[in-house]
Amino acid sequence: MNNKKLVDLIKTLAIEEGFSETSIANVRLMKCSKSLPRMPLMYRPGLTIIAQGQKIGYLGDREIHYNSGHYLVQSLPLPFECETFASQDGPLLGVSIDLDPAVLMELVTGFQDDGDVTHSTYSSMSAVPMSDDMESALILLIQALYDPKTAKLMGQGRVREVIFAALQSPEATALKTLVMNQGRFSRISYAISGMHQQLDQEVRVEQLADDANMSVSSFHHHFKEITGSSPVQYLKRLRLLKSQMLLNQRLKNVSQIALEVGYKSVHQFSRDYKRYFGVSPTQEKRHEGAVV
């Protein structure tokens, strides 16, 4: 596959480092002109397409390589670590597409006759080679960004074409399972959604397991199998990544942010933050959008 055309299209539009919003909802462009060391981050559920460059994701004991001509399909918001390989002469370029639940539901409904996915193997995060159909759909999507009228009238239709192409990959089983509300994967997803909504509150694993209609031991096992971490580890990483985002917004002080993400002790928050990110909250200098 020769994706030079896709690279050229993105290169012209992606001027700023990091993620750049576009005129089409849920579509962002990516650019990184230097290699970045392994660092913690979290992507929204969606598709992360790499047109040029290389990234390695680390989720639990898994290494996920998504290079030029590949895309990352992510069905859950998972804290993981990522390493980026790029340079000024060969920047990493790509496209990030957030998954709209309503669009996903409509498209997945058309795949229900493909067989029972409940017992299929699936992963919450997978790297997939781009098919010719996927590349063609992406080129049409990026071309729409060059004309405001096309972006306004045709943009969402072209996003749907990209998602449709992605859903034809075997690695999209997790997305279909979530939408069809089947199996343990969907119940773990429901628990994760609850965590995101209750960051400032005490979260009990026993209650999460009960809400998922699972024993505590079964909940622990399947949660780690799907996310690569235990429920307690996931919650801590989620709180710290949320706090980093709030710190980068520069709207609240450290004490306010610690309380907002569920820490009762500012000192404990600072210790955990420094252990996870390598700097204290007061030393945090990174700006949102600088990391891809």
Side-chain angles (χ1 to χ4, degrees):
M1 177 186 297
N2 181 4
N3 62 342
K4 184 179 184 302
K5 185 173 183 177
L6 184 60
V7 170
D8 290 341
L9 286 168
I10 296 172
K11 185 185 298 183
T12 303
L13 296 174
I15 300 173
E16 299 179 358
E17 292 289 308
F19 288 101
S20 303
E21 299 293 336
T22 72
S23 56
I24 300 177
N26 296 325
V27 177
R28 295 179 295 165
L29 300 179
M30 300 165 54
K31 179 182 179 181
C32 184
S33 300
K34 63 179 181 180
S35 292
L36 299 174
R38 180 171 171 171
M39 62 179 65
L41 53 80
M42 177 163 28
Y43 287 161
R44 304 167 187 171
L47 308 175
T48 304
I49 301 105
I50 305 299
Q52 176 175 283
Q54 178 184 2
K55 296 177 78 67
I56 302 177
Y58 302 90
L59 181 65
D61 58 359
R62 292 178 60 204
E63 278 192 16
I64 304 165
H65 295 251
Y66 49 120
N67 309 328
S68 173
H70 290 70
Y71 64 96
L72 188 75
V73 55
Q74 186 170 338
S75 52
L76 298 173
L78 297 179
F80 70 112
E81 295 183 344
C82 188
E83 188 174 7
T84 301
F85 301 88
S87 67
Q88 195 71 39
D89 294 333
L92 180 137
L93 298 169
V95 186
S96 171
I97 301 176
D98 295 341
L99 292 172
D100 183 318
V103 172
L104 191 61
M105 169 72 80
E106 183 180 347
L107 291 174
V108 166
T109 301
F111 286 87
Q112 288 188 357
D113 295 333
D114 289 355
D116 184 6
V117 301
T118 308
H119 303 295
S120 302
T121 58
Y122 46 70
S123 172
S124 50
M125 181 184 288
S126 298
V128 188
M130 248 195 297
S131 66
D132 290 339
D133 287 345
M134 179 79 157
E135 184 183 26
S136 297
L138 276 166
I139 287 173
L140 288 173
L141 173 61
I142 304 304
Q143 285 176 332
L145 294 172
Y146 280 79
D147 178 62
K149 185 178 292 185
T150 304
K152 180 180 179 180
L153 298 178
M154 304 295 294
Q156 287 307 311
R158 295 189 178 179
V159 170
R160 289 165 59 92
E161 290 178 358
V162 174
I163 297 173
F164 178 80
L167 285 172
Q168 297 186 74
S169 163
E171 285 79 3
T173 302
L175 296 175
K176 299 175 187 177
T177 303
L178 279 176
V179 171
M180 294 164 70
N181 198 30
Q182 294 180 336
R184 296 186 181 92
F185 191 94
S186 184
R187 283 184 273 169
I188 296 299
S189 172
Y190 179 81
I192 287 173
S193 177
M195 289 180 174
H196 281 253
Q197 295 170 16
Q198 303 172 51
L199 274 187
D200 62 337
Q201 304 172 31
E202 181 181 359
V203 178
R204 296 176 56 251
V205 176
E206 292 81 6
Q207 185 60 54
L208 292 173
D210 188 59
D211 292 343
N213 196 28
M214 300 167 73
S215 69
V216 173
S217 61
S218 178
F219 181 79
H220 266 278
H221 172 75
H222 292 291
F223 193 99
K224 188 166 186 178
E225 183 179 50
I226 289 169
T227 68
S229 64
S230 71
V232 172
Q233 288 172 328
Y234 179 94
L235 183 60
K236 176 180 283 190
R237 292 169 184 169
L238 176 61
R239 284 173 164 157
L240 292 171
L241 286 163
K242 173 70 172 180
S243 70
Q244 185 191 55
M245 183 194 74
L246 294 172
L247 282 165
N248 286 329
Q249 291 176 353
R250 304 293 195 267
L251 299 176
K252 299 179 180 179
N253 62 38
V254 172
S255 297
Q256 291 172 320
I257 291 172
L259 289 173
E260 186 167 333
V261 298
Y263 275 87
K264 296 179 180 179
S265 166
V266 177
H267 295 298
Q268 183 63 50
F269 166 68
S270 296
R271 284 195 295 269
D272 287 350
Y273 193 98
K274 186 170 185 177
R275 188 178 299 118
Y276 193 47
F277 292 111
V279 295
S280 69
T282 54
Q283 295 171 323
E284 179 62 76
K285 299 297 183 183
R286 281 179 292 178
H287 294 277
E288 187 179 22
V291 177
V292 297

